[in-house]
Amino acid sequence: MRPDRRPHRRPSGLAGGQVRPLPVLRLRPPHLRRLTDALENQTLSLFSTNWFKLNANGQPGYETTMVHELTHQWFGDSVTPDNWQQAWLNEGPAVYYAGLYGEERGWSVFEDKMKTTYEKLDAVRAADGPPGLPKTLGGTNIYDGGALVLYALGLRIGQRKFDKVMREWVKRFKDSTYTSEEFIAHTVDVTGDPSLDPFLRDWLFGALNPPMPGHPDWKAAA
């Protein structure tokens, strides 16, 4: 399918507004009968027809899935993991920006999603590994867990600095591969804050969740 070159509106807060312009101006998502899921591919996102339905609240919730897959045009397709141990920085941003979009549309509260993830993630770390050291590919640890790492980083350094970290990341590593170590070094370099090295290591590689900045009341589920 060829991209539609007409200009389009970018919602504020969507990845295109906080990271950089879309690599292709607009995509006409192909509806594939045999495909049962949504999938990112370079320059082309694929969506099964079963995604394009209103949810139980009458909302086009599939839009958040579209944002998720389009975010991968930067995180995963343009900037690619050196190996699958780094997959949290593919899926984490996709979950993060899709969550922000859902909140902008009034469908969900992103903080609530992150709190629920925090409560469950200690058990996930024990079973499947922490976000930066997954035992297998495709688990909650690299999806919602990866988003939680970014959420914690944003609370620690503030949204403006966080947005700069993410924008500069996709510029610096465009059309190349990365490791978690490089993301940690990049974050320290952009912010000038060396304390973010141990902070990110605890979140990425630790056996338990560190305290959530600004939310000392958040605890792991019993």
Side-chain angles (χ1 to χ4, degrees):
M1 305 297 288
R2 284 190 279 179
D4 185 341
R5 295 292 182 179
R6 292 173 296 174
H8 70 291
R9 180 179 65 86
R10 284 200 309 269
S12 61
L14 183 58
Q18 295 189 351
V19 179
R20 62 182 300 170
L22 289 172
V24 284
L25 292 180
R26 185 169 180 159
L27 296 178
R28 293 181 180 138
H31 298 183
L32 304 180
R33 293 185 181 278
R34 295 183 181 180
L35 183 70
T36 59
D37 212 335
L39 182 66
E40 75 273 12
N41 298 279
Q42 287 184 329
T43 75
L44 182 67
S45 295
L46 303 180
F47 302 89
S48 169
T49 53
N50 67 301
W51 284 103
F52 294 90
K53 300 174 183 177
L54 299 181
N55 62 23
N57 296 319
Q59 301 161 340
Y62 55 81
E63 290 182 10
T64 58
T65 303
M66 297 178 76
V67 172
H68 179 112
E69 302 305 338
L70 287 172
T71 299
H72 281 309
Q73 296 300 320
W74 300 276
F75 300 93
D77 293 340
S78 175
V79 184
T80 304
D82 184 66
N83 60 65
W84 290 117
Q85 291 288 300
Q86 331 297 329
W88 73 273
L89 203 46
N90 280 20
E91 302 300 342
V95 173
Y96 181 91
Y97 288 115
L100 290 184
Y101 179 78
E103 184 169 72
E104 283 189 352
R105 297 281 272 143
W107 299 335
S108 59
V109 178
F110 189 50
E111 181 179 303
D112 291 348
K113 177 180 177 64
M114 293 292 93
K115 184 174 186 292
T116 298
T117 300
Y118 187 91
E119 292 170 347
K120 297 178 179 179
L121 194 60
D122 274 358
V124 174
R125 287 174 185 266
D128 300 328
L133 290 172
K135 297 177 183 178
T136 60
L137 182 64
T140 299
N141 51 348
I142 66 171
Y143 280 78
D144 291 6
L148 191 70
V149 173
L150 298 177
Y151 181 75
L153 177 61
L155 291 180
R156 170 69 179 265
I157 65 177
Q159 195 65 43
R160 181 175 295 181
K161 286 185 179 180
F162 176 80
D163 290 343
K164 183 177 181 181
V165 166
M166 301 304 276
R167 282 196 304 268
E168 294 300 317
W169 173 253
V170 295
K171 291 178 182 178
R172 178 176 290 184
F173 287 90
K174 179 182 178 182
D175 299 333
S176 63
T177 60
Y178 69 86
T179 65
S180 295
E181 293 292 334
E182 286 170 315
F183 182 79
I184 293 170
H186 166 80
T187 301
V188 170
D189 180 56
V190 171
T191 62
D193 184 353
S195 72
L196 294 176
D197 185 298
F199 176 84
L200 283 170
R201 291 185 188 281
D202 285 348
W203 276 99
L204 286 171
F205 310 128
L208 298 173
N209 287 330
M212 178 60 71
H215 294 283
D217 56 314
W218 287 16
K219 307 293 182 184

